[in-house]
Amino acid sequence: MDPLPARRGAAEPDDDEVGRRFAAGDEQALAWAYERWAGQVHGMAVRAFGPGPDAEDVTQQTFVSAWTGRAGYRPDKGPLPAWLVGVARHKIADTWARRDRQRRETEAAMSEVQAGPSGPVTAGVDTQVADRVLVLDELELLGQPQRGIIELAFFEDLTHAQIAARTGLPLGTVKSHIRRTLERLRTRLEVDGAALHA
């Protein structure tokens, strides 16, 4: 009697088998992939951004994106960890682009505030500029996943359902995070607005 099937059942599959099962949609393969290669992906993200929320987000986004886009992985074209590294590189590039966009938006808003009125500028425009600065400041204070959810909703124009799919969070959780964050932003704007007009 061949004992090999019993041994194979008791032990975890090798990397190639994990890749094949991942491509086939086996959720256990996703767990194995995360266990084996999340450290490598996180290391790449830490080298890009330093330890902290951005590195953690990139790690999570890499595996969520890899899983939702697993139809694009071909086990016969290369090993799964190499493909995951490619996905991570894209997520790192996306995060750098988002950071750069936010920096430029903040600088532009600050320039408008510092320049002051250069002609017949209405109070409404000044208020909008101040509001933009306050919103960008408040986003900097948000923790994850709230900050990422708000950025997906307002910077990338994703629907609640698309955000849930992108982040792997339940739809109800996404909606409640957005609602609570918007309430917090509204309160901050009202408080700061009252201070400005006092």
Side-chain angles (χ1 to χ4, degrees), residues 135-156:
V135 168
L136 290 166
D137 283 349
E138 192 66 22
L139 281 178
E140 290 297 319
L141 300 175
L142 285 178
Q144 295 295 348
Q146 293 90 343
R147 178 177 167 185
I149 289 170
I150 290 295
E151 287 169 349
L152 291 173
F154 294 99
F155 293 129
E156 297 189 30

Side-chain angles (χ1 to χ4, degrees), residues 112-113 115-131 197:
E112 289 176 41
V113 169
S118 57
V121 179
T122 65
V125 173
D126 288 340
T127 302
Q128 287 175 346
V129 171
D131 287 352
H197 298 297

